[in-house]
Amino acid sequence: MAIKPPRDPQDVGYTWPTVLAVAVHLLVVLFSLVSLPSSTAEPDSSSIVQATFVSTETFTDQAQQTTDQQAALNSSTDPDEAEPAPEPDASEQEALQQQADEAAAREEAQAQARAEEQARELQEAQAQAEAEAQRREEEAQRLAEQQEVAAQAREEAQREAEAEAQRQREAEAEAQRQREAEAEAQRQREAEAEAQRQREAEAEAQRQREAEAEAQRQREAEAEAQRQREAEAEAQRQREAEAEAQRQREAEAEAQRQREAEAAMQRQLEGEAQAAANAQQAQQAANGFINIVRRAVEQAWLIPAGASDAMSATIQVRLGPSGEVLLTTIATSSGDSAFDRSAMQAVEHAAPFSELRDLPAEQQRNLRQFNLRFTPGDVR
């Protein structure tokens, strides 16, 4: 919005200087158009013709003024004379005319001087008016420039003021936003604090409930433990009673077992004696069978010519129910394949061993597989 600047007291317009200049010019033109009355001396016949225009009205007025002055002089000199003056003659009229002409010339010269003086004054006034108008114009221009600068400064100040006001409004708005943000933050902090207090209160209530529940559980646990202890004590008493009964039963059973063990021991001793006798008999029979087999194999063994007494080979022999050889394998080799084959062939040639059928069935089962060690000096 544009602001109208206040009027400077020193601010003057161009109206009055213009009017004054126009008036001065009009006066100069008027004086140049109007010719003052003048008279010149009679030129001689040899001079160039000179003429001066004399206004009839002006000359008549001057003559009338001269006549009036002369009459006033005469009347003042002799006021008592009432008689009219005598008629002047031609020379006197010519003299009077000449005086009048001289007076008119003097008056014209004075008027011309006054006119020239007035013209000079008018010119000086015009020059002064023009200078004043120029000065006023320059002053007005300077004032206009100052006013323009002032207006620009005011506009700039107005813009700066508006910008400052805008900045203040923005700062106030920003401050308001900050206050609102701080108030909102404060409300949020208070709400958060209230929520925190509620959470803490709920947590405290929860802890109290949990503590009460824990106390209840502890009481129940203690009661349960008491019941368990009582039950355990009762069970312990029952176990002890049962253990006592079990010990009694075990004691009775132990006594029974001892009696039975003594009887079994007796029977075992008797059986062992019998078994020893039987084992002795079986061992004797086994020894007898092994001796039979050894002698038969020694008779059938053809020891290789290059065999030394240090050589030794162990042959595993498996027999059938009737004493026939089912399989012979080398359990321990002598390192000489011919020696090992001769030992296996000796077993095969000595079979069958029919004496096996004469032994008890249990000894037969035990003697159906055995090992024979072959050395050139001995067969075992």
Side-chain angles (χ1 to χ4, degrees), residues 180-251:
E180 292 176 356
E182 291 177 358
E184 181 64 22
Q186 181 65 24
R187 287 194 295 273
Q188 290 180 357
R189 288 192 295 272
E190 292 176 355
E192 182 64 24
E194 181 64 23
Q196 182 65 24
R197 285 193 296 273
Q198 290 180 357
R199 288 193 295 271
E200 291 177 354
E202 292 177 357
E204 181 64 24
Q206 180 66 24
R207 285 193 295 272
Q208 290 179 358
R209 288 193 295 271
E210 291 177 354
E212 292 176 358
E214 182 64 23
Q216 182 65 26
R217 285 194 296 272
Q218 288 180 358
R219 289 192 295 271
E220 292 176 355
E222 290 176 357
E224 181 64 23
Q226 182 64 27
R227 287 192 295 271
Q228 289 180 357
R229 287 192 296 271
E230 293 175 355
E232 183 65 25
E234 181 64 24
Q236 182 65 25
R237 286 193 296 273
Q238 290 180 0
R239 286 195 296 273
E240 291 176 354
E242 291 178 355
E244 182 63 25
Q246 181 66 24
R247 283 194 297 272
Q248 291 178 0
R249 289 193 296 272
E250 289 177 353

Side-chain angles (χ1 to χ4, degrees), residues 57-282:
E57 183 179 359
T58 304
F59 180 77
T60 302
D61 292 339
Q62 291 177 354
Q64 185 63 34
Q65 291 176 0
T66 303
T67 302
D68 291 340
Q69 291 176 0
Q70 185 66 35
L73 182 62
N74 292 328
S75 61
S76 61
T77 303
D78 191 7
D80 295 333
E81 292 182 358
E83 295 180 0
E87 184 75 19
D89 56 8
S91 60
E92 291 178 354
Q93 289 183 353
E94 184 177 357
L96 291 173
Q97 184 65 37
Q98 185 176 0
Q99 291 178 358
D101 292 339
E102 291 176 357
R106 287 193 299 273
E107 185 66 25
E108 184 179 358
Q110 292 177 358
Q112 183 69 27
R114 286 193 299 272
E116 290 177 357
E117 182 66 23
Q118 290 178 356
R120 284 194 301 273
E121 292 178 354
L122 287 175
Q123 289 179 356
E124 291 177 357
Q126 183 178 2
Q128 292 178 357
E130 291 178 355
E132 181 66 19
Q134 180 68 24
R135 187 187 66 79
R136 289 180 178 272
E137 183 177 358
E138 292 176 356
E139 181 68 19
Q141 185 175 2
R142 185 182 62 79
L143 292 176
E145 292 177 355
Q146 291 179 355
Q147 290 176 358
E148 184 178 359
V149 172
Q152 291 178 356
R154 286 192 295 273
E155 290 179 358
E156 181 66 24
Q158 181 67 22
R159 287 194 296 271
E160 291 180 356
E162 291 178 355
E164 181 63 25
Q166 181 66 23
R167 286 193 294 272
Q168 289 180 357
R169 288 193 294 274
E170 292 177 355
E172 182 63 25
E174 180 64 23
Q176 181 65 23
R177 286 194 295 273
Q178 290 181 357
R179 288 193 295 272
E180 292 176 356
E182 291 177 358
E184 181 64 22
Q186 181 65 24
R187 287 194 295 273
Q188 290 180 357
R189 288 192 295 272
E190 292 176 355
E192 182 64 24
E194 181 64 23
Q196 182 65 24
R197 285 193 296 273
Q198 290 180 357
R199 288 193 295 271
E200 291 177 354
E202 292 177 357
E204 181 64 24
Q206 180 66 24
R207 285 193 295 272
Q208 290 179 358
R209 288 193 295 271
E210 291 177 354
E212 292 176 358
E214 182 64 23
Q216 182 65 26
R217 285 194 296 272
Q218 288 180 358
R219 289 192 295 271
E220 292 176 355
E222 290 176 357
E224 181 64 23
Q226 182 64 27
R227 287 192 295 271
Q228 289 180 357
R229 287 192 296 271
E230 293 175 355
E232 183 65 25
E234 181 64 24
Q236 182 65 25
R237 286 193 296 273
Q238 290 180 0
R239 286 195 296 273
E240 291 176 354
E242 291 178 355
E244 182 63 25
Q246 181 66 24
R247 283 194 297 272
Q248 291 178 0
R249 289 193 296 272
E250 289 177 353
E252 293 177 355
E254 182 62 25
Q256 181 65 28
R257 282 195 299 273
Q258 288 180 358
R259 289 191 295 270
E260 291 177 354
E262 289 176 357
M265 181 63 68
Q266 185 64 32
R267 288 193 298 271
Q268 183 179 1
L269 292 175
E270 294 176 354
E272 287 178 355
Q274 182 65 36
N278 294 333
Q280 186 177 3
Q281 293 177 357

